[in-house]
Amino acid sequence: PPAATAAPADTPPTPEPGGLQVPVYRTQLPQATVLRFESRRGVVSGTAELAWQAGANGYRLSLQGQALGAPFISWASVGVVDAAGLAPLRYTESRRGRELRAANFQRDSGQVSFSGPAVQYPLVDGMQDRLSWLIQLPAVLQANPALAQPGEQVQLAVVGTRGDAEVWTFSVQRRGPLALPGGTVADAVHLLREPRRPYDTQVQVWLDPAREHLPVQAWLRVRATGEGTELRLLEMSTP
């Protein structure tokens, strides 16, 4: 998900020559599911729901969050599934049902464009948006269990809505028990993504191998300010 706080002067990075270079992994996508989280932004608590489903016509993924009776997260990713896993077509960030920003994956022309910034990037195999990685990363580890061991890394090209596209490197930190509001996970896989820019998002995510490596906890913080969102699993259900 995107950073909770944007840089004071939010300028997109210059596209890298030849596009972003990342491996293409085998993937095994999870079954349709709804994950309900306890959420926290600073001292404010709330709930958030990650809903995932995929079929012959493509996939739909959304993250909706509320706190103090008002929405604070409304992100959606729609696309198709190809040999590299999730293949987003459009990623949007909304507020109160109104679309604010979008990233468009133009697969016919092989470019990624944005509703605001004029910058474009070459579209590479396996490229994700700032929501779809929450399913793509589990799908990679589910198909490649050896990558879930401490010291291993997974690299994904990730696109936001502010004209940003970078390689996110997830490093496996450790494995072990994790206590959550919805119960203890016996063998959670803890991964860390360090940002390359001060106002980008530092990501820590814990995946559960017993739940197809789906995320059960995530900390998303702006490195320069420490502000961000925490998600901790309450319950999991099937739609």
Side-chain angles (χ1 to χ4, degrees):
T5 303
D10 193 18
T11 56
T14 302
E16 298 182 18
L20 304 177
Q21 303 298 317
V22 292
V24 176
Y25 302 95
R26 292 183 297 111
T27 60
Q28 184 176 333
L29 296 176
Q31 299 179 11
T33 189
V34 177
L35 299 171
R36 187 166 176 265
F37 296 95
E38 172 189 271
S39 66
R40 180 176 293 274
R41 290 170 61 87
V43 298
V44 179
S45 298
T47 59
E49 185 176 278
L50 181 71
W52 152 258
Q53 59 181 354
N57 295 324
Y59 78 83
R60 298 186 65 86
L61 178 64
S62 66
L63 181 64
Q64 305 288 331
Q66 288 195 340
L68 301 177
F72 74 91
I73 291 176
S74 185
W75 303 323
S77 176
V78 296
V80 296
V81 176
D82 62 16
L86 270 66
L89 295 175
R90 185 171 176 84
Y91 166 58
T92 58
E93 300 173 8
S94 305
R95 184 175 300 163
R96 296 186 178 91
R98 179 183 175 187
E99 183 178 300
L100 297 180
R101 293 182 293 267
N104 301 293
F105 297 75
Q106 302 174 22
R107 299 196 170 271
D108 53 346
S109 62
Q111 297 290 318
V112 180
S113 62
F114 305 89
S115 60
V119 65
Q120 290 190 341
Y121 295 93
L123 178 56
V124 300
D125 290 340
M127 180 174 275
Q128 303 300 309
D129 58 55
R130 285 197 173 215
L131 181 58
S132 66
W133 74 265
L134 275 169
I135 297 296
Q136 178 75 359
L137 181 60
V140 170
L141 295 191
Q142 187 71 8
N144 306 272
L147 292 177
Q149 300 305 316
E152 295 293 336
Q153 292 185 337
V154 176
Q155 292 186 313
L156 302 177
V158 178
V159 173
T161 59
R162 301 176 184 272
D164 54 297
E166 294 185 291
V167 174
W168 284 20
T169 299
F170 291 91
S171 301
V172 181
Q173 303 298 298
R174 62 187 63 86
R175 299 181 64 149
L178 177 66
L180 297 168
T184 298
V185 174
D187 185 28
V189 183
H190 176 202
L191 298 100
L192 170 68
R193 180 260 168 169
E194 290 286 9
R196 294 162 61 182
R197 296 183 295 162
Y199 285 89
D200 202 354
T201 309
Q202 181 193 60
V203 178
Q204 295 191 68
V205 62
W206 287 257
L207 309 181
D208 185 1
R211 293 183 173 94
E212 301 181 277
H213 286 91
L214 285 166
V216 292
Q217 180 171 266
W219 295 350
L220 316 165
R221 296 192 178 101
V222 179
R223 183 173 62 180
T225 65
E227 299 177 359
T229 300
E230 296 182 11
L231 302 173
R232 303 179 71 215
L233 185 68
L234 291 167
E235 59 184 357
M236 173 180 171
S237 61
T238 55

